[in-house]
Amino acid sequence: DTEVTQTPKHLVMGMTNKKSLKCEQHMGHRAMYWYKQKAKKPPELMFVYSYEKLSINESVPSRFSPECPNSSLLNLHLHALQPEDSALYLCASSQDMGLTGSSGYTFGSGTRLTVV
Amino acid sequence: DAKTTQPTSMDCAEGRAANLPCNHSTISGNEYVYWYRQIHSQGPQYIIHGLKNNETNEMASLIITEDRKSSTLILPHATLRDTAVYYCIVRAYSNSGYALNFGKGTSLLVTP
């Protein structure tokens, strides 16, 4: 298995809702990442988990709450989002946070989130 | 991480080589050059990376100048499916942190 699987592919939520995005990989990678991508903009790093511990938080608002229950799973819990949070949310994984191996990062196809 | 500069957009005829330049004049000795691409509405895809030497794989070739201040990604025979945004990223080799940070990239259009 050489993929990163993200679910759901599309999500529409109200500003008072609580929802979660899920990311799964079975490549034995020990680093996992959340990126946010607005239309026609490059991906922006949000969080990094290394060996199931939060390693980097790029000053993301607390309405976004990451969780790494085990080495294969990464969740992003969403609560009280704003319409401007509508974006493509991408998950990625790598062997570790160093540049080991030749494959770099493997990205999922993303969850397209719309906040109404 | 060193900053990169890429042209905003480029065109290439199908079947011809696509040469995508990247300037990274502030690159340090331990910083790698990575190339990713993103086809519309998909996640970024790893293409190739290098430190000093030129590199080639089944997708592309990476040519890094001797002073390492610039590089060129070469797609030898571009197809319509190569239409995408191409990102050149420079980052340091480290196990202590820092993930990939994307710049604006080059939007490549391959035309019939």
Side-chain angles (χ1 to χ4, degrees):
Chain A
D1 189 351
T2 58
E3 291 185 348
V4 172
T5 303
Q6 290 189 243
T7 55
K9 293 194 182 305
H10 301 274
L11 178 64
V12 178
M13 62 184 291
M15 289 188 284
T16 58
N17 291 161
K18 287 184 180 180
K19 296 287 186 182
S20 297
L21 309 184
K22 180 180 174 181
C23 174
E24 193 167 4
Q25 57 88 14
H26 297 287
M27 295 176 281
H29 288 175
R30 303 312 299 270
M32 296 186 76
Y33 312 80
W34 281 115
Y35 285 83
K36 173 183 178 180
Q37 186 174 27
K38 302 282 281 184
K40 300 189 185 299
K41 299 289 187 181
E44 296 178 6
L45 182 65
M46 299 175 72
F47 302 104
V48 181
Y49 273 82
S50 178
Y51 290 85
E52 295 137 64
K53 293 185 178 178
L54 185 63
S55 181
I56 296 177
N57 176 341
E58 292 285 6
S59 303
V60 178
S62 60
R63 58 186 184 268
F64 296 91
S65 176
E67 177 196 21
C68 190
N70 59 56
S71 61
S72 299
L73 280 175
L74 185 66
N75 298 319
L76 186 63
H77 303 297
L78 314 172
H79 174 53
L81 295 193
Q82 303 298 311
E84 58 264 31
D85 296 321
S86 298
L88 180 68
Y89 288 83
L90 292 160
C91 175
S93 70
S94 63
Q95 285 186 303
D96 52 42
M97 288 190 70
L99 294 177
T100 55
S102 62
S103 60
Y105 289 25
T106 302
F107 282 82
S109 296
T111 294
R112 188 159 300 280
L113 174 68
T114 303
V115 182
V116 298
Chain B
D1 295 341
K3 183 176 178 177
T4 61
T5 303
Q6 299 177 252
T8 301
S9 63
M10 295 182 64
D11 292 347
C12 178
E14 188 177 21
R16 305 298 292 269
N19 297 292
L20 291 89
C22 179
N23 182 287
H24 32 78
S25 58
T26 60
I27 195 170
S28 300
N30 66 342
E31 290 185 315
Y32 282 71
V33 179
Y34 269 71
W35 283 84
Y36 281 76
R37 73 180 183 183
Q38 188 173 23
I39 296 169
H40 181 62
S41 295
Q42 297 183 19
Q45 176 190 25
Y46 166 84
I47 301 173
I48 199 167
H49 76 283
L51 181 63
K52 296 180 182 178
N53 300 320
N54 298 336
E55 302 288 344
T56 296
N57 63 22
E58 64 278 2
M59 288 183 68
S61 294
L62 174 60
I63 308 298
I64 302 174
T65 58
E66 193 169 342
D67 63 9
R68 302 208 326 118
K69 293 184 176 182
S70 66
S71 61
T72 301
L73 178 74
I74 301 173
L75 307 179
H77 305 286
T79 71
L80 299 180
R81 288 175 294 180
D82 292 322
T83 292
V85 178
Y86 287 77
Y87 296 101
C88 170
I89 303 167
V90 172
R91 62 160 289 198
Y93 185 96
S94 170
N95 283 319
S96 64
Y98 299 108
L100 289 175
N101 288 296
F102 289 79
K104 295 181 180 179
T106 295
S107 180
L108 175 68
L109 176 63
V110 180
T111 56

